[in-house]
Structure formats: structure tokens, C-alpha cells
Amino acid sequence: MELRNLAPQEVSRSEEKQWQIAWWLAIFTIIYNLGEGVVATVFGFQDETLSLFGFGVDSFIEVISAVGIAHMIARIRRRPNSARDAFEVTALKVTGTSFYLLTAGLVISAAVSLIANHHPETTAWGVLISLVSIVSMWILIQLKVRQGRRLESPALLADARCTRTCLQMSVVLLVASAVYEMTGIGYLDGLGALMIAYFAFQEGREAFEKAAGQLDCGCAVDPP
């Protein structure tokens, strides 16, 4: 009888520990994206690199999304069967609007850049920042998927899939920056910015679909 009485408590403590880990992963995502956003926008503006600057702005928007995830985790820990609350819906709408604004800004700026045949001063920082981001996002995806599966949480697995979109953006930035450094072809920076705009539009649409309850999971990309 004592063992049967203790078993639920042990499971509860174990689950609480797993949710705590998931919460810290969300906090790390916030801190990392803040730092990445500052570095990328500063060097993107300084070197007139549109793709890097857009990547940095995207990182700031990801902070809003991660705040919503952290809040969601805290809510589930307090009330496991509760529904998405007003804060989470608002965070999703703000995130979606921000992504749409970024999309419009990048498309217009890229068009001007391509017409003017603009050449960034250098894209070396884009190469470095994207490499750091690829490694960081890959590790973060593995950790988020592990926690999502341990807790059997579709929401956490959806967050991992959205993090994979950040990884794909990093790959786009790496290719555009590296090839420009090797060739000096100016339009590559504009094309990179357009690809980032495409991903931003996808994320914006999915954020609004989640806010409207049309999607249980935010992204349509399968986790690794």
C-alpha cells in the first residue's frame, strides 16, 4: 500500500522536473534571441547587409514568441488541463503582425537593393553569426523535441518545429553571406533577404492560425 501511495507523488515530481527543464529552454531561447538580434542588427546596419539585418529583426520577433511559450509552460504547470489564455493569444497576434511587417519591409528593401545593385561592405559577420546560430538551434531543437516527447506535449513539439524554421533561416543567411564573400555578387544579399522574408511570412501566417485555434501546432515542418 505504501508503494502504491508513493508512486503518483514520484511521477508528479518527475513530471514537474521535466516541465521545469522545458521552461528553462524557453528562457534560454529568449536570452539567445535577444543577444543574436542585437548583434545581427548592429552589424547588418553597419555593413549594409540587408539579409543579416532582417535576420536580426526576426530574432527579436522570436523573443515575443518565446515569451508566449514560457507563459504557456507556466500555465500548464499550474493548471494542466487549462486552455490557451488571453496572454498567449495576444502574444501570437503580436508575433504574427510583426512577422508580416518584417516580410513587407524585407520585400521592399530587397527590391530597392536589387534594382540599385547594392553591394554590402562585407558579409563576414553574416557567415559567423549564421554558423553560431545553426549549431545553437540544432542543439535547442534536439532538447525541445526530447522534452516534448517526454511530456507528450504537442505544444512543445510545435515549438521545436518552429525552432527548426529559425535553423533554416540561418542556413539561408550562411549561404547568401558565404557566396557573396567568395564572389562579390551584390544581388545575393537581396535574394537572401527575400528568402528570409518568405520564412517570416510563413511564421506570421501560422501565428495567426494558432491564435484563431486553426492549428494545434505552429509549424508544418516535422521535427528531427
Side-chain angles (χ1 to χ4, degrees):
M1 290 295 294
E2 291 181 358
L3 289 176
R4 284 196 293 271
N5 290 335
L6 285 173
Q9 296 176 0
E10 292 172 356
V11 171
S12 178
R13 286 196 298 269
S14 175
E15 188 172 346
E16 171 64 20
K17 180 180 179 180
Q18 297 306 319
W19 279 114
Q20 182 71 22
I21 293 172
W23 187 80
W24 279 113
L25 288 175
I27 296 302
F28 174 82
T29 302
I30 293 170
I31 296 172
Y32 177 86
N33 278 297
L34 277 174
E36 181 178 78
V38 170
V39 174
T41 52
V42 167
F43 283 104
F45 180 80
Q46 175 181 296
D47 296 333
E48 299 182 1
T49 308
L50 182 58
S51 56
L52 179 57
F53 185 83
F55 182 80
V57 175
D58 176 85
S59 297
F60 286 128
I61 300 173
E62 296 293 348
V63 171
I64 304 172
S65 177
V67 168
I69 294 296
H71 175 84
M72 178 201 71
I73 292 172
R75 170 181 58 80
I76 293 174
R77 289 171 64 186
R78 293 193 306 267
R79 303 185 302 277
N81 297 319
S82 60
R84 181 183 293 137
D85 62 20
F87 182 92
E88 293 165 54
V89 173
T90 300
L92 286 168
K93 290 180 178 179
V94 172
T95 299
T97 301
S98 300
F99 276 129
Y100 280 158
L101 290 173
L102 174 61
T103 300
L106 284 178
V107 169
I108 294 172
S109 300
V112 173
S113 176
L114 291 170
I115 293 172
N117 193 27
H118 173 73
H119 287 67
E121 292 186 17
T122 177
T123 55
W125 279 106
V127 174
L128 178 59
I129 292 171
S130 60
L131 285 173
V132 173
S133 181
I134 287 170
V135 174
S136 301
M137 292 300 103
W138 186 86
I139 294 173
L140 196 56
I141 289 168
Q142 311 310 310
L143 295 174
K144 287 183 176 182
V145 168
R146 184 185 67 181
Q147 292 309 113
R149 288 174 176 168
R150 284 180 175 178
L151 291 164
E152 298 181 353
S153 170
L156 292 181
L157 290 174
D159 182 41
R161 289 192 289 271
C162 288
T163 303
R164 189 175 181 183
T165 301
C166 299
L167 175 61
Q168 293 171 329
M169 284 190 184
S170 302
V171 172
V172 168
L173 177 62
L174 174 61
V175 172
S177 300
V179 177
Y180 176 82
E181 279 297 298
M182 291 185 292
T183 65
I185 300 175
Y187 66 78
L188 290 171
D189 182 53
L191 291 179
L194 287 175
M195 285 299 299
I196 291 174
Y198 167 77
F199 284 116
F201 176 80
Q202 292 290 103
E203 290 194 281
R205 183 182 63 185
E206 289 157 357
F208 275 111
E209 288 176 348
K210 286 180 70 176
Q214 298 173 9
L215 285 179
D216 291 328
C217 301
C219 305
V221 184
D222 292 328

